[in-house]
Amino acid sequence: LVTISWIITFFDGFDANVVGFAAPYFSDEFHLSRVMMGNLFSIGLLGTLVGGFLFGYIGDRIGRRPSIILATAAFGVLTLVFSLCTNYGALMTVRFIAGIALGGMLPLAWALNVEYAPKHYRSTIVTVIMIGYSVGTAVGGPIALWLIPSFGWQSVFVFGGALSLLAAGVLFAMLPESVRFLTSKGGSPEVIARLLHRVAGEAVSPDARFVVPDEEDFAKDFKPALLFRGWLRWITPLYWIGYIFSSMTAFFLATWTPLVFEALKFSRPEAAAAGSISAVAGAIGGLLLMRFTDRRGPIAIAVMPLVAIPLLLIAAFVNVGHAAFMALFGLIAMFLIGGHFGNHSIAGIFYPSAYRGNGAGWATSVAKIGSIAGPFLAGVILSTNLPTRNIFAVLAICPAVFVISIFVVGRIYNAMQHEDERGTSAATAAFPAPAGNAP
């Protein structure tokens, strides 16, 4: 499950970001201005915002498996269609619709893996899957340089779209449905028994009745109010706030790093290297964080943005050499983007199986506010008379808000888990397991 989820996440990252590498070629062909190109990039992000809401709802209605297959096939087809566009309007339309599918797949993949993963490996597995997205993004440049000079800008979209459709076929053949989801929705006991037999290799009694013992009997039909029920009335809004500010920093680094470094008198190759360092360091940060998140809960994530705050202030106000500044920036990226990876890894853990897809989908869609606002606000700040380096001091506001939000979320989540454990212990004492080998 993790392997095939990693593969489709790889193509999600490739298809979502290869447009940036192909842009210099088709922008000349269609005579697109920088404003028009900016609109094309933004419309894709807007599509992913819609996709998180839409596919979160679909995933909780018809299941994880069909929704993930549908989203993967859709962004495969739409990536192919992008190569056939002949004008700006068509590019904008296809990019928006493709964004819906691209934004819808990720939270559903997280939800499905969370519902199969052992409790203390959930954040680890989601982080590993998201590394696939980063790798897919990173290889877009080399593949574009390999294909476009020989076959034209359309070739990278044909490449990505065709392989995404192949991945959808693999999903159709191999991807299991979530047993927890089926049970929480009152699914057919025969279907659940058959799936359990496939997964665990053990026969299940045809008279078995299935329950999800660590979840309440939640409503079968999703309503947004469910995201604010009980403990969630505090967790959901605080998590959203932290996710928004985390996304602002991550997308600022993804879009503005080369231009900021050039403004700081670094050479163009050095500025490009800074962009690569940012991506690699962020992935390393996510990998370093994942086991701590599984062991300590969401509160562990707060450490990374907390460490980034003084580093950002040093970058803003302390004069250091080029090499030292590059190393300092690598540490900043590791802690900021690593914390953002941590946010991804907990998107589905707060919500019960009955509406985990909606919970994760709404969180990632709301976070797109930061994804869109971060690069825009950075551009506004950089256009003022403020010294370029001071942008790092302004940026420190984002991890500060992130730390406070995720720290409180972590404390509440730990209290919630402690209460659940006490309830489970009480239930075990009141209803001891039957003697013998009975399950």
Side-chain angles (χ1 to χ4, degrees):
L1 176 62
V2 173
T3 300
I4 58 179
S5 297
W6 192 95
I7 291 170
I8 58 171
T9 305
F10 170 92
F11 288 115
D12 189 289
F14 180 88
D15 290 1
N17 296 288
V18 74
V19 64
F21 298 108
Y25 299 91
F26 66 73
S27 63
D28 290 340
E29 179 175 328
F30 297 126
H31 309 291
L32 304 182
S33 66
R34 289 189 176 182
V35 172
M36 296 168 79
M37 287 305 306
N39 292 339
L40 187 63
F41 295 145
S42 297
I43 201 73
L45 283 174
L46 181 61
T48 62
L49 186 153
V50 174
F53 291 125
L54 178 61
F55 274 90
Y57 176 79
I58 294 172
D60 283 342
R61 290 290 294 182
I62 67 174
R64 318 294 190 229
R65 170 185 157 84
S67 302
I68 291 172
I69 295 171
L70 173 62
T72 305
F75 70 67
V77 169
L78 289 161
T79 301
L80 285 171
V81 171
F82 194 87
S83 70
L84 303 176
C85 293
T86 57
N87 57 68
Y88 176 63
L91 292 171
M92 290 285 287
T93 301
V94 174
R95 187 66 182 163
F96 173 73
I97 301 173
I100 295 174
L102 290 163
M105 193 282 291
L106 283 177
L108 290 176
W110 301 342
L112 179 59
N113 279 271
V114 163
E115 288 163 0
Y116 268 109
K119 184 176 181 180
H120 294 296
Y121 283 90
R122 289 174 175 174
S123 294
T124 296
I125 285 174
V126 172
T127 301
V128 169
I129 291 169
M130 283 307 298
I131 296 299
Y133 185 94
S134 297
V135 174
T137 301
V139 303
I143 290 176
L145 291 174
W146 169 49
L147 290 176
I148 292 177
S150 299
F151 305 104
W153 65 266
Q154 296 91 342
S155 59
V156 290
F157 297 98
V158 173
F159 175 86
L163 289 182
S164 296
L165 287 175
L166 179 62
V170 173
L171 293 177
F172 185 81
M174 298 180 62
L175 191 69
E177 183 55 276
S178 166
V179 175
R180 293 176 69 93
F181 170 78
L182 290 173
T183 303
S184 69
K185 290 291 189 179
S188 164
E190 292 80 9
V191 173
I192 297 172
R194 192 161 55 246
L195 185 54
L196 283 172
H197 177 66
R198 172 188 167 193
V199 171
E202 297 178 2
V204 180
S205 169
D207 300 322
R209 186 174 71 87
F210 300 96
V211 296
V212 184
D214 60 339
E215 294 182 7
E216 300 176 28
D217 183 20
F218 286 94
K220 299 294 187 291
D221 294 323
F222 174 74
K223 301 178 182 62
L226 291 173
L227 300 179
F228 303 91
R229 179 178 175 177
W231 292 98
L232 295 177
R233 71 181 179 273
W234 302 107
I235 287 178
T236 293
L238 285 169
Y239 176 56
W240 285 0
I241 291 170
Y243 211 169
I244 287 170
F245 280 87
S246 172
S247 298
M248 289 178 73
T249 58
F251 277 79
F252 163 77
L253 293 176
T255 55
W256 281 100
T257 290
L259 293 174
V260 167
F261 269 73
E262 285 192 36
L264 293 174
K265 309 303 181 184
F266 284 78
S267 67
R268 182 156 291 181
E270 288 175 327
S276 299
I277 288 171
S278 175
V280 173
I284 292 171
L287 292 172
L288 291 175
L289 179 63
M290 62 188 187
R291 295 305 300 135
F292 290 101
T293 305
D294 278 323
R295 290 171 184 158
R296 302 294 182 182
I299 201 167
I301 298 171
V303 174
M304 282 206 158
L306 181 63
V307 174
I309 294 172
L311 296 178
L312 285 164
L313 296 178
I314 292 172
F317 301 117
V318 179
N319 289 320
V320 296
H322 269 34
F325 189 86
M326 189 74 81
L328 176 63
F329 177 76
L331 288 174
I332 290 171
M334 183 176 73
F335 288 114
L336 287 179
I337 302 178
H340 190 59
F341 269 93
N343 248 343
H344 293 326
S345 74
I346 62 172
I349 69 171
F350 305 119
Y351 305 100
S353 300
Y355 52 89
R356 182 171 280 120
N358 273 292
W362 277 60
T364 55
S365 289
V366 170
K368 292 297 189 299
I369 296 171
S371 305
I372 296 169
F376 172 76
L377 292 175
V380 172
I381 295 168
L382 288 168
S383 66
T384 67
N385 293 324
L386 189 73
T388 302
R389 283 186 62 177
N390 292 164
I391 187 69
F392 292 102
V394 178
L395 188 63
I397 297 171
C398 294
V401 176
F402 180 19
V403 167
I404 295 169
S405 301
I406 208 67
F407 178 80
V408 177
V409 166
R411 292 293 300 271
I412 296 171
Y413 181 75
N414 288 344
M416 181 177 72
Q417 293 295 100
H418 181 64
E419 182 175 286
D420 287 347
E421 288 170 3
R422 284 192 302 170
T424 301
S425 299
T428 302
F431 302 99
N437 295 323

